[in-house]
Amino acid sequence: MQKNNKRNLWGYLPYLIVLVAIFSLFSLNQSTPSKTLSYDQLMDVLENRKVEESSLSIGTNIVTVRGVYKDGEKEVSFHSSVPATDSSIEKVMDRLDHSELTVLDAEASNAFRDLMYSLIPLVVVVIMGVWMMNRMNGVGSANAKAFDFGKSRAKLESKTKVKFDDVAGCDEEKQEMAEIIDYLKYPAKFKKMGARIPKGILLFGHPGTGKTLLAKAVAGEANVPFYSISGSDFVGMFVGVGASRVRDMFHHAQQTAPCIIFIDEIDAVGRQRGAGFGGGHDEREQTLNQLLVEMDGMADNSGIVVIAATNRPDVLDPALLRAGRFDRQITVALPDRKGREAILAVHARNKHFAQDIDLGALAKRTPGFSGADLENVLNEAAILAVRDKVDVIGMTQIDEAIDRVMMGPAKKSRTYDEKTKKLVAYHEAGHAIIGLFLENAQVVQKVTIIPRGQAGGYNLMTPKEEKLMNTKNDLLATITSYMGGRTSEEMFFDDVTTGASNDIERATNLAKDMVTLYGMSDLGPIKYNTGSENVFLGRDYNSPNNVSGQVAFEIDEEVRKIVNGCHAKAREIIEAHKEELVRIAEALIEYETLTSEQIGKVIKGESIAEDFAVAPAQPVAPTEVKPETPAETEQPAVKELPKTDD
């Protein structure tokens, strides 16, 4: 703030210099202040005083006498007016020293000087007024943008540094975008073949999958100007502002063509027109209309490629998605295992890792993570390494970072009483048993009873192999694993807790989707309207419900049948492996966190005490964690995870 104030003060310096110069000009051009004498006083001075220098300005009616005389040691300037008669002029000239007398023509005054004397004050007032108005309106500052509400808010990047090497995990998407790069570099060969490059490309997919990064990489590879703007930047206070900004943006883009215009979150202005509860939004619809015209209207915007990104392509207006506007629609999906490994390699460039870090094993442990999630995992691991005062990032920090991204930071200060701790341990052990002994269930990677976020404990499970689609048995196994915790509570404590609320909610929703969406019930392969559409999109408001009361009852019966069947299956598995569950629960009570390999040892009855033994501190090893740090109990377990994943 102090630096900004100093800059503002320096901004006033030129104006201050101009004012000082003007006042100095006035002071230099003005005559020396003089004493006005009457005719008698003039005669007395001319007779009794020695006049050192004098001037006589003879006019038509009067004669002006100016001069300087000495009053002791003091010089006094004087001036006087006498009638322009021969006698008066003769008397004055007789008393003046003719050698020091200057005769001036009163009619030959400096007209230019007089004009400047009259105009300069007016000019100064006008300049100061304009300057004050500019300061009030914010010209030269951020407030000036208030008067540019019709101008485009798009930011121009002449040279984008992002390249395809910085984008990983989306090889097919990059291949689709490579044609755009080729066209922007060599448009002649496309025109020779009669091909027209897509005017618009719509990127949609889950948040954090790299849509914006991919658009920047296209501009960087093609080495063309890159205009970026958010959909919300078009909408303004006044109706018509958004349309004006669209026109201005395309006008500037035409001057720098070939170029790329990237519109992020285009659903802010591209929503379907004339739909929704309460009517449309006039300003947004005018903005959309102008965007449609600019992309494919009366004028040709050759050389301009529009790339847009959104998470909700289903709400966009059909006119925006037609051929000639967004010709090509690319789904930027969540990365697979190889994609995640490549993304981790990109974000690991500037980080220091321990030698035993395996990015491939880390990619296996993070199914469903987007590129942004993976970048966040490595960043959190680096922060934890600084917090632990180690020189390199180890598996201890990475394991904790994954847990923090998924569930939040561990709340180790929250202490359980013995009964609650036992309840949580048996609950989590119930989930683990289902994952270990149920076919088609996911693989248990880690079990902990350390609270994170809203959960008292959790199981980290990953699929045996990543699939494009799930079978009915896969979904039933997932519901059964959800019911493992509640079933364990019922069997070992003859009571239930609120800890299974999230498990029950997820199991119920999945069972309902099996019945109403996937056709995996006795009701047959029929999609039933569940009333989940958004009325503000105009898709479920005042529309007849295609589910009768009888069918709704049957849907509820099928959902209940699926959940109860999975509940019974969980009870059957836990009954068959009750001894193993008790061993896992007791180990959780003692050690709080178990990995998959440690769980395997516990089930076999082997001791895992050596895994949690505190190694003596090595003073020369900078990466050694002190025994009193909280991460020490988890460090041995984390080191074994890559072996299990392999």
Side-chain angles (χ1 to χ4, degrees):
M1 292 299 292
Q2 293 179 354
K3 292 183 178 179
N4 292 334
N5 291 335
K6 291 181 179 179
R7 291 177 181 175
N8 293 335
L9 291 176
W10 280 109
Y12 289 100
L13 184 60
Y15 301 101
L16 183 60
I17 294 175
V18 171
L19 289 177
V20 172
I22 291 174
F23 287 128
S24 300
L25 181 63
F26 273 116
S27 61
L28 290 175
N29 283 277
Q30 287 179 349
S31 301
T32 306
S34 60
K35 183 177 180 181
T36 303
L37 303 178
S38 65
Y39 182 80
D40 294 337
Q41 291 175 336
L42 176 63
M43 294 295 108
D44 181 67
V45 168
L46 296 179
E47 291 178 357
N48 303 319
R49 305 284 185 180
K50 179 175 176 54
V51 178
E52 296 184 350
E53 58 183 50
S54 61
S55 64
L56 201 65
S57 178
I58 303 174
T60 305
N61 298 319
I62 62 173
V63 176
T64 303
V65 181
R66 299 180 183 276
V68 178
Y69 68 90
K70 278 194 173 182
D71 185 7
E73 297 295 331
K74 182 179 179 183
E75 290 186 350
V76 179
S77 298
F78 69 92
H79 71 278
S80 179
S81 299
V82 299
T85 61
D86 294 339
S87 59
S88 299
I89 295 174
E90 186 177 354
K91 289 181 181 180
V92 172
M93 296 185 67
D94 289 342
R95 290 171 172 78
L96 289 175
D97 186 0
H98 294 270
S99 61
E100 299 179 358
L101 176 63
T102 302
V103 179
L104 303 175
D105 186 3
E107 302 298 332
S109 60
N110 194 335
F112 178 76
R113 184 188 61 186
D114 295 341
L115 179 62
M116 291 300 296
Y117 283 164
S118 60
L119 288 182
I120 285 178
L122 179 61
V123 172
V124 171
V125 171
V126 171
I127 292 176
M128 293 299 296
V130 172
W131 177 75
M132 291 296 294
M133 290 296 296
N134 290 341
R135 297 297 298 181
M136 292 175 63
N137 293 335
V139 173
S141 65
N143 294 331
K145 295 182 180 179
F147 293 89
D148 294 335
F149 50 80
K151 301 295 183 181
S152 172
R153 300 292 180 89
K155 298 178 180 178
L156 173 62
E157 295 183 32
S158 301
K159 293 184 179 180
T160 305
K161 297 181 180 179
V162 180
K163 305 293 183 181
F164 270 174
D165 293 339
D166 302 317
V167 183
C170 50
D171 296 335
E172 293 79 8
E173 291 81 355
K174 288 194 293 186
Q175 184 177 0
E176 291 288 330
M177 303 296 283
E179 294 178 356
I180 307 298
I181 300 172
D182 201 19
Y183 167 77
L184 293 172
K185 286 185 175 181
Y186 315 106
K189 66 178 183 180
F190 286 88
K191 293 180 180 179
K192 182 179 179 181
M193 190 60 64
R196 177 185 62 82
I197 200 68
K199 293 185 178 181
I201 300 175
L202 180 65
L203 305 176
F204 59 88
H206 291 277
T209 51
K211 299 182 288 294
T212 303
L213 191 65
L214 186 60
K216 284 187 176 181
V218 173
E221 292 287 344
N223 195 23
V224 296
F226 182 75
Y227 293 87
S228 61
I229 189 172
S230 174
S232 59
D233 288 335
F234 289 114
V235 182
M237 181 186 302
F238 307 105
V239 175
V241 170
S244 175
R245 290 174 178 173
V246 172
R247 288 191 296 268
D248 188 66
M249 179 179 66
F250 276 87
H251 174 71
H252 284 84
Q254 288 175 352
Q255 298 175 353
T256 58
C259 63
I260 292 176
I261 294 177
F262 176 67
I263 306 175
D264 197 11
E265 304 297 342
I266 194 174
D267 53 281
V269 293
R271 287 178 178 267
Q272 184 175 349
R273 293 168 293 180
F277 179 76
H281 190 290
D282 193 42
E283 163 65 359
R284 180 180 56 79
E285 291 190 1
Q286 287 196 25
T287 305
L288 175 59
N289 293 338
Q290 188 63 41
L291 182 60
L292 296 176
V293 172
E294 293 291 344
M295 290 188 67
D296 186 24
M298 302 300 293
D300 183 21
N301 287 320
S302 59
I304 301 176
V305 178
V306 180
I307 302 178
T310 181
N311 304 324
R312 296 291 308 276
D314 56 311
V315 305
L316 296 180
D317 193 88
L320 194 63
L321 301 178
R322 74 157 174 85
R325 290 189 175 118
F326 284 112
D327 306 89
R328 186 170 296 182
Q329 302 176 23
I330 301 175
T331 302
V332 185
L334 292 171
D336 57 7
R337 185 185 62 80
K338 291 184 179 179
R340 292 194 298 273
E341 184 176 357
I343 293 173
L344 289 169
V346 170
H347 294 298
R349 292 174 180 173
N350 61 339
K351 295 178 175 61
H352 304 283
F353 291 92
Q355 295 181 356
D356 60 342
I357 297 298
D358 185 1
L359 295 181
L362 180 58
K364 291 181 181 179
R365 295 186 52 201
T366 52
F369 277 45
S370 66
D373 294 331
L374 296 172
E375 190 276 335
N376 193 25
V377 166
L378 295 186
N379 185 65
E380 288 288 344
I383 294 174
L384 290 172
V386 175
R387 181 185 301 177
D388 295 340
K389 298 180 180 180
V390 295
D391 296 332
V392 293
I393 302 172
M395 284 305 300
T396 301
Q397 289 78 29
I398 292 179
D399 183 68
E400 174 65 19
I402 294 175
D403 293 342
R404 290 170 70 90
V405 172
M406 293 181 61
M407 303 292 296
K411 299 182 178 180
K412 296 187 177 182
S413 60
R414 183 190 298 177
T415 57
Y416 288 132
D417 57 73
E418 291 299 325
K419 181 179 179 181
T420 303
K421 189 174 184 179
K422 188 175 182 179
L423 275 168
V424 174
Y426 275 83
H427 179 101
E428 300 301 333
H431 288 302
I433 286 295
I434 302 299
L436 290 170
F437 295 101
L438 177 62
E439 188 178 359
N440 299 319
Q442 295 183 345
V443 179
V444 179
Q445 298 288 351
K446 179 180 178 180
V447 184
T448 179
I449 60 173
I450 297 176
R452 288 183 181 272
Q454 300 297 323
Y458 81 99
N459 277 262
L460 176 60
M461 296 185 178
T462 59
K464 296 177 182 178
E465 58 182 7
E466 297 185 30
K467 303 178 181 179
L468 293 176
M469 58 187 68
N470 292 315
T471 65
K472 181 179 180 180
N473 289 331
D474 292 335
L475 299 181
L476 290 175
T478 301
I479 297 176
T480 304
S481 64
Y482 288 152
M483 303 306 298
R486 168 56 64 90
T487 305
S488 178
E489 294 175 1
E490 295 172 346
M491 293 180 59
F492 288 94
F493 298 95
D494 196 22
D495 199 359
V496 293
T497 67
T498 59
S501 60
N502 184 254
D503 298 330
I504 295 173
E505 179 183 0
R506 296 167 69 183
T508 304
N509 291 336
L510 184 53
K512 187 175 294 184
D513 289 341
M514 291 176 63
V515 176
T516 60
L517 294 179
Y518 308 139
M520 297 178 178
S521 69
D522 294 338
L523 297 182
I526 301 175
K527 194 272 183 184
Y528 293 99
N529 183 11
T530 58
S532 60
E533 299 289 352
N534 194 337
V535 298
F536 293 98
L537 298 179
R539 299 181 180 174
D540 196 41
Y541 183 69
N542 280 341
S543 62
N545 195 334
N546 65 346
V547 177
S548 64
Q550 177 63 28
V551 174
F553 172 77
E554 293 178 2
I555 291 174
D556 293 339
E557 287 293 320
E558 289 296 325
V559 172
R560 185 178 294 109
K561 183 190 300 184
I562 292 175
V563 175
N564 288 340
C566 293
H567 191 188
K569 183 67 175 178
R571 178 177 290 272
E572 177 184 340
I573 295 174
I574 293 176
E575 285 283 359
H577 303 280
K578 184 181 294 186
E579 183 178 350
E580 290 88 344
L581 189 149
V582 173
R583 291 176 181 173
I584 295 174
E586 295 299 328
L588 284 173
I589 293 173
E590 182 175 0
Y591 301 111
E592 294 186 338
T593 301
L594 299 176
T595 64
S596 58
E597 183 169 306
Q598 292 167 349
I599 292 174
K601 292 181 180 180
V602 169
I603 291 176
K604 296 176 183 179
E606 300 177 4
S607 174
I608 59 173
E610 63 276 7
D611 293 341
F612 296 92
V614 178
Q618 301 293 332
V620 296
T623 59
E624 187 71 14
V625 182
K626 295 182 180 180
E628 61 269 14
T629 58
E632 181 65 31
T633 57
E634 298 180 8
Q635 186 175 1
V638 176
K639 288 183 177 179
E640 301 295 338
L641 280 177
K643 297 180 181 179
T644 304
D645 291 332
D646 293 340

